[in-house]
Amino acid sequence: MSTLSPTSAAGPDPAVNVDVTGETRLERITGIAQQQGGLVSLVIVFVAACAFSDGFADWGNFQSILVGNAYTSLLALGMTFVILTGGIDLSVGSMFALGGVLAAWGAGHGGVLVAILLPLVVAALFGLLQGTLIAKARLAPFIVTLAGMLFARGLLQAISAEGTDTYLVPKGSAFLWLGDGTWRPILTAVILFVLGGILLMRTRFGQALFAIGGSENAALLMGLPVARTKVLVYVLSATIAGAAGMLNASRLQSGVTNIGVGYELTAIAAVIIGGTLLTGGAGSILGTAAGVLLLAVIQNLIGVHLSQYGSSASDLANGLFLAVVVLIQTTLTRVRRLP
Amino acid sequence: MTDVAVRPTPAVLDRNRVVTWLQDYGVYAAIAVLIAINTAIKPSFFSMDNFRVQAFQVVPVLIVALGMALVITTEGIDLSVGAVIALSSAVIPLYLGYGPWLSIVIALVAGCVSGLLAGLMVAVANVQPIIATLALMIGVRGFAVILNGASAKSVTDETIGALGLDSWFGIPQEVWIAVVIVLVVAFVVRRTAFGRRLTAIGDNRAASALAGLPVKRVLVAVYIISGLLAAIAGVFLVGHGGYADPSNYGLNYELSAITAVVVGGTPLTGGRIKVLGTVAGAVFMQLVAATLIQNNVKNSYSQMVEAVIIIGAVYAARGRSGR
Amino acid sequence: MHALIGENGAGKSTLIKVMTGVYEPDEGEVRLRGEEVAFASPLAAQEAGISTIYQEVNLVPMMSVARNLFLGREPRRYGLIDSTRMKREARDILRDYGVHVNPARPLRSLGLGAQQMVAIARAVQIDARVVIMDEPTSSLEAREVETLFGVIRRLRDQGIAIVYVSHRLDELYQVCDRVTVMRDGAVVRVDDMSAVDRITLVSLMLGREIGDVRTHGATGFADAEHQVKGAPVVAARNLQRRHQLDGVSVEIRPGEVVGLGGLLGSGRSETAKAIMGALPLDGGSVEVGGTTTRRTVAASIRAGVVMLPEDRKAEGIVPSLSVRENIVLAALPRITRAGLVDRAKQDEIVDYFMKRLRIKASSPDQRVSELSGGNQQKVLLARCLCLDPKALLLDEPTRGIDVGAKAEVQGVINELAEQGLGVLLISSELDELIEGSDRVVVLKDGRVVGELTGDDVSQDTLMTTLAEAPPEPDLGAPGAPEPDTTEEERHD
């Protein structure tokens, strides 16, 4: 590209004539608080838990937190991409369950390859349909994916005799290798998060996600492929959810049918707590990872100290956290006069 | 001066007219068709007994959908209604010792408080409705289950049970109350300043603000009403079931309510509300479910059909708003 | 270096959008270097070498400077974006534009001037042969404008054609070689910049000749001056808002029509909105009837000030409500008892105003969106009048409505003033402004640059005032220098 830089020409050097500051210190601090709030809270909660909660600071406990959340965290990963564009995907919980059932069925009926590929292909097609309705027919993402949630759940029950048939992965199937052990699930999640980070920060697709969420109009005028990117992001989210379900089935050695209800909410909560703006345009994979871990640690603590209330106490905590975080986010956003 | 109205060309008008007619009255026609088909297949469908069975199913959804319709009119959404149902059902056994009416009142107040929180987040803090009510959806249900404990509690009070089971003049009490609520909501929308402001704010918020309308107050009020109506639905569910089961009550109600509103012809983009249409939307979805069950279609397939209807309804409504 | 000018609605933006592939022309052709071209999308236009810088900076504020600069054509290594190289190149490129900034900072954290420079750098980087700039200086400080001009001159020297759209006449004379004047969707003159003097330029834009005999009775206004009596009903003092208003003061007395003159972007609508309490201010005060009002729209209405907004569709009508409901929308508190709308009272008001303003609708129940522009405007006027106001702020009351309705609306304004209302009239139409107003306050770049009274209220004096070079006291003045503290105060 022959860059037409104006230096070569004559004329006075404009030097430092342009006012670059426009951000006050207050705005800068609030910006950092907004981006790193999830990470900071995670560190605080983690340190406090280590100090005050007996049995928390235990290697076995850490392992169980990490393994227990390895696959569900992937839903938050996919959700991050969607929310960055200003959209939302409520169908991931159902897709997680569907992926698991398809994988278990595939392992029994076709072997490893079918077990792995079938959920991915179905999920991708499903995402393609949702993305097309959102990007091309311009329907609201939340209503499309809400219907998608219902549809995928219905499909799952249809292929499992209303949820009564649980397909088991045959003993000795090579498919079981995927989710076996302690480190394999954790490593899988870490690798996928790293790949997600690279996709977001180091590819044009990732940059287009930021641009669309930041200003769809500007993205269009800059000549970015807006519609295509939006379709792809729903394909990506659905595929990740299907893959997470598939991996989970490998770990559980069966396709559990009643799993995944409400998982989309936890995923959204983790993404938002991780500092991604629900309006899109700003956020990070690292933040989402922090959000996932923060919720996981809280859930673990509640499980230890408030076990009589079961998961409802962590629901309450999740809801509270989410409300507090969005309130802080909107307040900070107003201070920084974002659009 | 002949410029009374800008009219589209006749050909377009005709097609528009068909589309508009379908959007306005299609749901009523569909209800009639469904009733006819069902009665033809099985004459007992058109009976008082079946009517009562269907009514108990549809009334809670219908009441929640009315609140949802009001929220959607302001370009909002309320995902917390299912959780509020759970909260209201959890509160009742707690205060039953003080008498049924007091416990009902407290349940309704609890719904209002949840709505107030949603309204404040949306109107004052400027949080997007979807995320504000999502936080409540998660948190309020957790709170409800904590209040109640994980297992369902039996509620054997006669007054509350009567709401869910007994009839006046052969028609369930619930239905009477629902009719009153529909009439009140329709009246509020058509005759009061509040109803007028509601529509105006949803239709053109900038103009409403420049005309000096109390935008924030109206928004907060709308979410409180939605919470209140959801709480009423919760009371009915407890009365009908004889149990308070916050872990399971109200699940997916937000979805059913939104579906009823959308199918009834209220656009998701706000500014227009159809109270009767919402009633019809709820009835239609119930009839679809009943029809499928009656013909031994599995629950899984009816779920998929419901999903397709939602998309179809939103798609059809899009034609109007995009004009 | 080609200037493109014209008043609001002259068709400049549409022309730009056709040239850059946003719109497709119904007829006609676009030629690039003699070849006919048709762009299907902004991307196609960019690839052909036409890049555009829009009035509002069209970049993504939350992304970093470097990423904005390279969005869609990032340098890659092994298939991945090479962000080190991207940052380095961004820093080098921006240095040439006088922007010394860490390219990893979010674009939003830069001043508007620097953001505009990034937009220009981006446009030029795409191998541009033609750069279209739509009001690039509207948000710049004076010294930033100087820098921009430096850059523009160097681009020109490199053989890049520049289309420059601006309302600031001084700027055009500073940098442009040729000029195209547009009015009402057509080109009215193409000439060398030096061949057209300021006053000609203004008269071409407005469609009036200097020394034209004033067409009496061209408007519905009676020519006689109104009886102005008593203390000001509205007194706005020293209104301040960054980049928009710089110490505007206006007084409106009962029975007086005060015109606000000025070209597009001079701060007329902002002044009206500020008086109404609909625009947050950095400084200044508004008194109604001698007392300072709370700065909300509802409080202003209670104090007796009402406004007819400029943008009828976006800020005026509520399209799906009926004519009746639209008229009484703002008056609801007055016709409501215990929350219920008093229908008798409502119908009485609606009936009265529909007759008085001769609103043509099939019935009061007709949806307002089905009415013609003129009747919609009358509905909005009725909405204002049924509030029983003391002062009326009219922002372009006759824009986009037909001749008959126009005369009627003008007649009503005249009547209202005779009845003792204070009226603030904003109009881009000279006839209307001059015949309608008793006094004209002229704004330019958010400042009052003149006031015409008595016999001075004429087309010639107005155009002369508009064309005069602004009494620039010192460079960097508009709104500046602003200490950081005001920045923070504003966001409380």
Side-chain angles (χ1 to χ4, degrees):
Chain A
M1 175 192 287
S2 71
T3 43
L4 287 163
S5 138
T7 27
S8 50
D13 183 47
V16 281
N17 264 343
V18 176
D19 174 24
V20 287
T21 56
E23 192 181 46
T24 61
R25 187 181 299 163
L26 177 70
E27 285 169 351
R28 216 155 20 231
I29 293 169
T30 55
I32 293 166
Q34 185 175 326
Q35 281 155 24
Q36 307 303 339
L39 204 55
V40 172
S41 319
L42 174 64
V43 170
I44 293 172
V45 171
F46 185 81
V47 170
C50 287
F52 300 115
S53 173
D54 290 338
F56 177 81
D58 173 72
W59 186 234
N61 191 38
F62 291 162
Q63 273 186 348
S64 79
I65 292 178
L66 291 174
V67 173
N69 291 280
Y71 295 141
T72 47
S73 72
L74 298 178
L75 301 183
L77 175 65
M79 190 71 77
T80 310
F81 299 123
V82 177
I83 291 185
L84 268 176
T85 65
I88 200 150
D89 187 351
L90 299 175
S91 70
V92 292
S94 294
M95 193 45 66
F96 180 79
L98 182 61
V101 171
L102 288 173
W105 182 89
H109 292 77
V112 191
L113 218 54
V114 179
I116 294 175
L117 289 182
L118 181 67
L120 297 186
V121 170
V122 171
L125 287 174
F126 198 83
L128 181 67
L129 183 64
Q130 293 193 137
T132 309
L133 283 170
I134 291 164
K136 301 279 166 69
R138 304 206 135 263
L139 302 185
F142 98 90
I143 198 90
V144 170
T145 56
L146 204 57
M149 165 174 115
L150 205 62
F151 193 91
R153 183 66 62 180
L155 189 62
L156 177 157
Q157 291 186 336
I159 60 172
S160 63
E162 301 305 301
T164 54
D165 273 7
T166 304
Y167 297 108
L168 297 177
V169 179
K171 288 249 181 310
S173 165
F175 178 60
L176 292 175
W177 180 86
L178 268 180
D180 195 29
T182 309
W183 288 107
R184 222 166 278 146
I186 298 176
L187 268 179
T188 313
V190 169
I191 290 171
L192 285 174
F193 265 77
V194 170
L195 287 178
I198 292 174
L199 180 71
L200 199 56
M201 299 311 291
R202 303 293 292 275
T203 66
R204 290 187 179 170
F205 173 74
Q207 294 304 297
L209 296 182
F210 278 105
I212 291 170
S215 168
E216 190 165 334
N217 200 23
L220 265 174
L221 289 172
M222 286 199 245
L224 298 181
V226 172
R228 195 177 70 207
T229 308
K230 276 169 92 174
V231 173
L232 275 179
V233 84
Y234 288 94
V235 172
L236 184 64
S237 167
T239 311
I240 291 179
M246 178 262 286
L247 291 166
N248 196 49
S250 163
R251 178 156 192 84
L252 299 180
Q253 312 191 355
S254 66
V256 182
T257 53
N258 60 357
I259 207 170
V261 176
Y263 281 20
E264 62 281 348
L265 305 183
T266 324
I268 294 168
V271 171
I272 303 289
I273 289 171
T276 299
L277 284 183
L278 192 83
T279 41
S284 69
I285 296 294
L286 188 65
T288 297
V292 168
L293 286 176
L294 180 60
L295 292 182
V297 168
I298 290 169
Q299 195 184 12
N300 180 269
L301 290 174
I302 286 169
V304 174
H305 297 285
L306 299 166
S307 55
Q308 68 271 34
Y309 298 122
S311 66
S312 45
S314 48
D315 282 349
L316 178 60
N318 288 357
L320 274 178
F321 251 93
L322 184 56
V324 169
V325 168
V326 262
L327 282 175
I328 294 174
Q329 253 192 18
T330 22
T331 319
L332 295 185
T333 306
R334 218 178 306 162
V335 173
R336 316 180 70 205
R337 59 188 159 154
L338 292 183
Chain B
M1 295 250 308
T2 52
D3 55 345
V4 174
V6 184
R7 292 196 182 282
T9 55
V12 180
L13 186 72
D14 278 344
R15 226 191 64 211
N16 274 354
R17 206 178 260 172
V18 172
V19 172
T20 310
W21 188 89
L22 273 180
Q23 281 167 351
D24 285 346
Y25 303 106
V27 63
Y28 302 103
I31 289 175
V33 169
L34 275 181
I35 291 179
I37 292 176
N38 279 303
T39 313
I41 296 174
K42 198 173 157 198
S44 70
F45 187 89
F46 203 78
S47 70
M48 205 58 207
D49 279 348
N50 188 41
F51 169 73
R52 286 171 57 101
V53 171
Q54 304 300 335
F56 282 123
Q57 304 272 347
V58 81
V59 162
V61 177
L62 170 62
I63 293 175
V64 173
L66 287 173
M68 186 71 78
L70 293 175
V71 175
I72 288 179
T73 308
T74 64
E75 280 190 285
I77 196 88
D78 187 355
L79 297 181
S80 70
V81 287
V84 172
I85 289 177
L87 177 65
S88 140
S89 75
V91 165
I92 285 180
L94 284 186
Y95 293 94
L96 210 50
Y98 302 98
W101 292 110
L102 186 73
S103 67
I104 291 177
V105 168
I106 294 178
L108 301 190
V109 169
C112 291
V113 170
S114 170
L116 174 69
L117 289 178
L120 288 178
M121 280 202 271
V122 170
V124 181
N126 275 327
V127 178
Q128 285 166 291
I130 188 171
I131 200 74
T133 55
L134 180 68
L136 285 171
M137 176 184 181
I138 304 174
V140 168
R141 185 175 293 276
F143 182 62
V145 177
I146 290 175
L147 277 185
N148 187 72
S151 56
K153 273 187 196 159
S154 138
V155 175
T156 49
D157 184 80
E158 280 183 11
T159 319
I160 293 175
L163 283 177
L165 294 170
D166 290 1
S167 301
W168 289 322
F169 311 109
I171 292 175
Q173 289 184 14
E174 265 187 39
V175 176
W176 288 110
I177 297 174
V179 168
V180 171
I181 293 176
V182 170
L183 291 178
V184 169
V185 171
F187 182 78
V188 165
V189 166
R190 277 175 210 167
R191 294 290 174 87
T192 63
F194 177 77
R196 202 75 66 77
R197 288 175 174 143
L198 184 81
T199 334
I201 288 170
D203 202 15
N204 191 340
R205 188 169 301 185
S208 303
L210 276 181
L213 266 55
V215 176
K216 287 181 181 171
R217 223 165 56 208
V218 171
L219 284 179
V220 172
V222 156
Y223 284 91
I224 291 179
I225 294 172
S226 174
L228 172 68
L229 291 176
I232 292 176
V235 173
F236 284 173
L237 283 176
V238 172
H240 189 63
Y243 286 98
D245 184 6
S247 313
N248 292 311
Y249 277 1
L251 284 178
N252 284 336
Y253 261 62
E254 57 285 338
L255 182 57
S256 311
I258 294 170
T259 310
V261 173
V262 170
V263 171
T266 304
L268 278 173
T269 41
R272 282 162 54 85
I273 181 168
K274 299 208 153 182
V275 177
L276 268 186
T278 302
V279 175
V283 170
F284 171 71
M285 292 312 286
Q286 175 60 31
L287 280 177
V288 169
T291 311
L292 294 171
I293 288 167
Q294 213 130 58
N295 294 296
N296 295 323
V297 174
K298 287 187 188 129
N299 184 38
S300 54
Y301 289 97
S302 47
Q303 243 181 2
M304 288 190 265
V305 170
E306 201 181 321
V308 172
I309 292 176
I310 296 174
I311 295 293
V314 183
Y315 195 83
R318 189 196 65 134
R320 165 176 294 165
S321 59
R323 211 164 45 181
Chain C
M1 185 82 206
H2 199 113
L4 179 63
I5 63 169
E7 266 290 84
N8 207 353
K12 303 171 310 246
S13 307
T14 316
L15 179 65
I16 292 173
K17 286 190 170 149
V18 169
M19 286 194 284
T20 54
V22 179
Y23 295 160
E24 269 181 51
D26 295 334
E27 248 176 67
E29 55 182 23
V30 179
R31 281 177 184 275
L32 184 67
R33 300 194 158 177
E35 279 173 49
E36 193 180 335
V37 286
F39 304 123
S41 70
L43 185 61
Q46 280 175 22
E47 278 165 358
I50 300 183
S51 19
T52 318
I53 294 144
Y54 295 90
Q55 188 173 356
E56 305 288 323
V57 181
N58 252 299
L59 295 173
V60 187
M62 283 183 275
M63 296 178 79
S64 79
V65 172
R67 288 179 190 279
N68 264 295
L69 198 52
F70 286 103
L71 201 57
R73 32 184 203 93
E74 294 89 347
R76 286 189 286 194
R77 208 168 135 211
Y78 311 122
L80 295 179
I81 293 172
D82 185 348
S83 50
T84 327
R85 195 178 128 204
M86 193 164 80
K87 276 180 210 154
R88 196 180 56 232
E89 286 184 7
R91 194 192 302 266
D92 292 346
I93 291 166
L94 288 175
R95 192 176 298 139
D96 295 339
Y97 290 86
V99 182
H100 296 258
V101 60
N102 175 5
R105 273 172 69 177
L107 181 82
R108 175 198 51 218
S109 73
L110 270 56
L112 279 173
Q115 292 191 21
Q116 195 65 268
M117 289 298 175
V118 176
I120 292 168
R122 180 184 161 85
V124 175
Q125 287 305 306
I126 319 177
D127 234 347
R129 295 174 204 152
V130 182
V131 178
I132 301 171
M133 300 184 180
D134 189 355
E135 296 227 43
T137 55
S138 59
S139 49
L140 299 193
E141 312 284 335
R143 66 203 162 91
E144 293 171 342
V145 173
E146 276 311 307
T147 312
L148 175 69
F149 287 169
V151 170
I152 288 175
R153 288 193 189 104
R154 284 185 299 171
L155 293 178
R156 180 184 56 190
D157 295 343
Q158 285 168 33
I160 296 176
I162 294 168
V163 179
Y164 190 91
V165 181
S166 177
H167 294 100
R168 299 187 178 173
L169 302 186
D170 321 315
E171 291 177 11
L172 302 182
Y173 284 102
Q174 260 182 296
V175 289
C176 295
D177 305 315
R178 287 175 66 77
V179 60
T180 295
V181 186
M182 290 187 74
R183 191 174 67 238
D184 299 333
V187 173
V188 291
R189 174 116 174 228
V190 184
D191 214 331
D192 283 342
M193 199 75 220
S194 51
V196 193
D197 62 7
R198 279 163 188 273
I199 202 87
T200 322
L201 210 54
V202 172
S203 65
L204 280 170
M205 283 165 67
L206 299 176
R208 298 278 146 198
E209 290 291 329
I210 287 292
D212 251 4
V213 183
R214 211 164 80 191
T215 42
H216 263 292
T219 67
F221 293 112
D223 206 31
E225 296 221 344
H226 299 109
Q227 267 317 155
V228 178
K229 51 197 171 243
V233 54
V234 172
R237 297 211 175 87
N238 196 26
L239 303 176
Q240 296 275 1
R241 182 172 162 83
R242 202 178 183 208
H243 293 311
Q244 290 179 330
L245 297 175
D246 184 21
V248 174
S249 301
V250 184
E251 287 191 349
I252 311 165
R253 281 169 293 171
E256 179 184 42
V257 179
V258 179
L260 264 191
L263 295 175
L264 191 71
S266 56
R268 293 168 301 174
S269 299
E270 287 78 6
T271 304
K273 278 195 177 162
I275 294 175
M276 199 60 204
L279 190 74
L281 284 178
D282 299 338
S285 68
V286 178
E287 285 180 11
V288 180
T291 48
T292 312
T293 55
R294 272 184 60 214
R295 301 205 36 74
T296 67
V297 175
S300 301
I301 290 177
R302 274 196 299 276
V305 185
V306 296
M307 179 172 79
L308 188 74
E310 176 188 19
D311 190 334
R312 191 164 58 228
K313 276 224 169 66
E315 303 184 318
I317 59 165
V318 180
S320 67
L321 290 187
S322 68
V323 170
R324 173 190 291 130
E325 290 165 336
N326 264 286
I327 290 179
V328 296
L329 187 65
L332 281 175
R334 292 160 200 235
I335 58 162
T336 320
R337 245 203 249 136
L340 291 187
V341 177
D342 182 339
R343 296 189 139 195
K345 223 177 199 169
Q346 163 183 290
D347 289 346
E348 190 187 318
I349 292 174
V350 170
D351 199 47
Y352 173 76
F353 281 105
M354 282 185 76
K355 278 199 187 113
R356 172 159 179 211
L357 299 179
R358 274 180 278 171
I359 296 172
K360 297 247 174 15
S362 58
S363 88
D365 293 318
Q366 192 177 8
R367 270 213 230 161
V368 82
S369 54
E370 293 169 5
L371 299 189
S372 70
N375 281 303
Q376 287 182 356
Q377 196 70 342
K378 287 184 191 171
V379 167
L380 293 182
L381 197 56
R383 183 193 287 171
C384 291
L385 295 184
C386 72
L387 292 168
D388 210 4
K390 298 192 192 99
L392 195 54
L393 317 178
L394 303 171
D395 197 349
E396 302 284 358
T398 63
R399 172 177 295 168
I401 68 181
D402 66 286
V403 185
K406 200 174 206 165
E408 286 183 76
V409 169
Q410 290 164 340
V412 171
I413 296 170
N414 200 39
E415 247 177 80
L416 290 170
E418 277 165 10
Q419 288 165 14
L421 252 75
V423 179
L424 183 76
L425 177 64
I426 298 174
S427 178
S428 298
E429 282 188 48
L430 282 189
D431 280 340
E432 186 169 288
L433 194 64
I434 286 163
E435 291 197 14
S437 313
D438 303 306
R439 190 154 69 84
V440 176
V441 175
V442 185
L443 296 184
K444 189 165 183 176
D445 298 342
R447 248 177 296 169
V448 177
V449 291
E451 183 172 332
L452 316 178
T453 48
D455 288 343
D456 273 349
V457 183
S458 74
Q459 206 166 284
D460 290 5
T461 47
L462 180 58
M463 286 205 282
T464 325
T465 317
L466 285 177
E468 261 167 28
E472 198 87 48
D474 59 317
L475 281 182
E482 269 182 304
D484 262 357
T485 45
T486 50
E487 274 268 303
E488 286 176 354
E489 278 162 15
R490 272 179 46 211
H491 308 303
D492 286 351

